[in-house]
Amino acid sequence: MRKEVVVITGAAGEMGQALIERLSEDGVNNILALDVNPIPKSLRARCQLALMGNILDEQLFGRLVSEFAIPRIFHLAALLSTRAEFTPEIAHRVNVEGTMNLLKLAVDQSGWLGIPVKFIFPSSVAVYGMPDLATKEREGAVREWEWNVPTTMYGCNKLYGEHLGRYYAEHYRQLAVDQAVHGVDFRSIRFPGLISAFTLPTGGTSDYGPEMLHQAAKGEPYACFVREDTRMPFMAMPDAIKALIQLEDAPKEALTTHVYNITSFNPSAGEMFAEVKRAFPNAQVAFEPDQRRQMIVDSWPVDQDDSRARKDWGWKPDFDQKKAFVDYLIPNISRRYADAAQPS
Ligand code: SER
């Protein structure tokens, strides 16, 4: 018998770490964590198996198929938007070919298991592309089908990943005589920028939000790479993880699409700084826009309309802006850096 596991790719990333913690707190004890980077030791103990490996490695997938039964996949691995602009072709390989490999794994597994394999895929606000600031301002919160013209490689990759998922879920090998009865149950969430009290993102363009806060908590000055009036949606990490789990749990009949927006609060960079300053009055932030990264955030909408997620699977964030800062970010981040400063 093959051992049943829940696969999490990108397990050493921000979302991966938070998801492993949450699932293991919920009693899930059969996580197979996969990442190109080492998975932090504290998390390895919460996993059945923690593998260092590349989602482009076919041999690795061969091993997974032969050793494990995989009814659920959280495919979180990706190169984020800033990083991807430096190596767009590599980003395409990781973000698109990597996703294909996982979808193929899901389809194979569903054949073995005789049930649809659940495939949870984080997409992003980066799939949107607003042509100019006037349009961004005028359009406000965008709906899932609007402005799907991303300007970044990452945005293009995520948008295509959504389409691939829909294809595997609904049209895979549609001309084959031996139509598979099972297949992939593909569910995706377009996340806004995420802010965690415990980790920092690497290579994203919404990173100015978390960076500003973490630098202030460390008592270090920060040069913010976007203008003060820059606005985009954000969310506290626990809400993002809650959403992944809630969407995974939702009854299939309730879902009317494969891809859902969610959102929580959308301060301007200046308002974010004001929030940070309330907690850390000595915080120093200089607004020194980097024109090219600014262009990327300017192409993202001021907000996402999440009414479909609210209606279909009862989505509602626990943390609005105030609560995110006061109840989650500030206390945890203060403790984190106070602990780090303690001599061991
Ligand atoms: N946080 C991501 C980025 O900045 C957007 O999904 O790339």
Side-chain angles (χ1 to χ4, degrees):
M1 280 297 278
R2 291 174 312 159
K3 172 112 193 84
E4 185 175 310
V5 289
V6 180
V7 166
I8 300 179
T9 72
E14 275 210 290
M15 285 193 108
Q17 295 192 33
L19 180 64
I20 290 172
E21 261 182 33
R22 169 68 201 271
L23 286 177
S24 75
E25 275 159 20
D26 289 352
V28 177
N29 60 6
N30 62 341
I31 296 170
L32 190 159
L34 178 62
D35 204 293
V36 276
N37 297 310
I39 292 159
K41 206 168 160 206
S42 59
L43 289 178
R44 267 184 268 151
R46 296 175 181 249
C47 301
Q48 165 93 28
L49 187 65
L51 286 179
M52 221 167 111
N54 194 319
I55 53 170
L56 299 172
D57 177 353
E58 282 171 22
Q59 280 179 358
L60 174 71
F61 280 87
R63 176 178 163 199
L64 294 185
V65 171
S66 62
E67 285 185 30
F68 300 102
I70 308 172
R72 294 154 80 192
I73 297 172
F74 291 88
H75 172 41
L76 313 180
L79 293 192
L80 296 183
S81 58
T82 289
R83 172 76 208 284
E85 290 310 309
F86 289 100
T87 52
E89 292 77 17
I90 293 175
H92 184 275
R93 289 196 65 207
V94 173
N95 295 349
V96 175
E97 288 175 35
T99 299
M100 278 275 286
N101 288 345
L102 266 306
L103 284 165
K104 182 72 174 56
L105 174 74
V107 142
D108 288 347
Q109 284 288 320
S110 81
W112 288 106
L113 300 174
I115 50 162
V117 165
K118 278 198 177 157
F119 194 102
I120 311 301
F121 180 66
S123 185
S124 164
V125 65
V127 302
Y128 296 106
M130 312 308 289
D132 49 60
L133 282 175
T135 313
K136 168 168 168 149
E137 195 58 40
R138 190 186 65 236
E139 292 293 295
V142 297
R143 287 168 295 181
E144 281 84 352
W145 59 91
E146 297 175 316
W147 302 104
N148 290 173
V149 275
T151 64
T152 60
M153 183 50 127
Y154 172 75
C156 294
N157 295 162
K158 283 291 181 188
L159 188 57
Y160 184 53
E162 295 173 1
H163 285 301
L164 278 177
R166 182 178 51 78
Y167 168 78
Y168 271 82
E170 291 187 23
H171 309 290
Y172 183 63
R173 295 174 79 235
Q174 56 193 289
L175 298 182
V177 184
D178 62 330
Q179 284 292 320
V181 276
H182 307 296
V184 180
D185 182 353
F186 178 83
R187 304 177 180 199
S188 176
I189 294 176
R190 287 183 185 161
F191 286 102
L194 301 178
I195 315 186
S196 165
F198 303 102
T199 50
L200 274 161
T202 38
T205 319
S206 60
D207 295 8
Y208 65 88
E211 284 173 358
M212 185 188 292
L213 175 64
H214 281 254
Q215 288 297 100
K218 283 193 275 183
E220 289 173 15
Y222 181 62
C224 179
F225 59 80
V226 295
R227 290 184 318 268
E228 218 171 329
D229 67 350
T230 305
R231 193 179 292 279
M232 65 166 287
F234 281 94
M235 173 173 291
M237 187 61 85
D239 269 335
I241 301 305
K242 174 180 104 156
L244 284 176
I245 291 171
Q246 210 179 330
L247 179 60
E248 200 234 319
D249 277 349
K252 192 148 191 259
E253 322 75 72
L255 305 182
T256 58
T257 180
H258 291 285
V259 179
Y260 288 93
N261 272 346
I262 61 169
T263 188
S264 186
F265 47 90
N266 67 334
S268 67
E271 288 161 0
M272 179 94 78
F273 177 39
E275 206 71 71
V276 168
K277 221 171 154 59
R278 250 191 287 282
F280 304 104
N282 298 328
Q284 288 175 52
V285 171
F287 290 91
E288 295 171 8
D290 167 332
Q291 284 320 319
R292 287 166 305 175
R293 289 180 98 185
Q294 178 73 58
M295 258 164 34
I296 292 179
V297 187
D298 284 347
S299 79
W300 294 347
V302 291
D303 205 358
Q304 293 162 257
D305 180 326
D306 62 2
S307 45
R308 203 162 177 174
R310 287 176 183 261
K311 184 160 176 283
D312 286 4
W313 44 280
W315 159 249
K316 192 173 175 295
D318 291 333
F319 297 95
D320 60 13
Q321 186 171 315
K322 256 286 86 63
K323 209 160 175 258
F325 278 88
V326 174
D327 291 356
Y328 165 67
L329 290 168
I330 304 300
N332 285 307
I333 220 166
S334 306
R335 216 170 301 132
R336 180 192 154 164
Y337 290 110
D339 288 352
Q342 292 294 321
S344 52

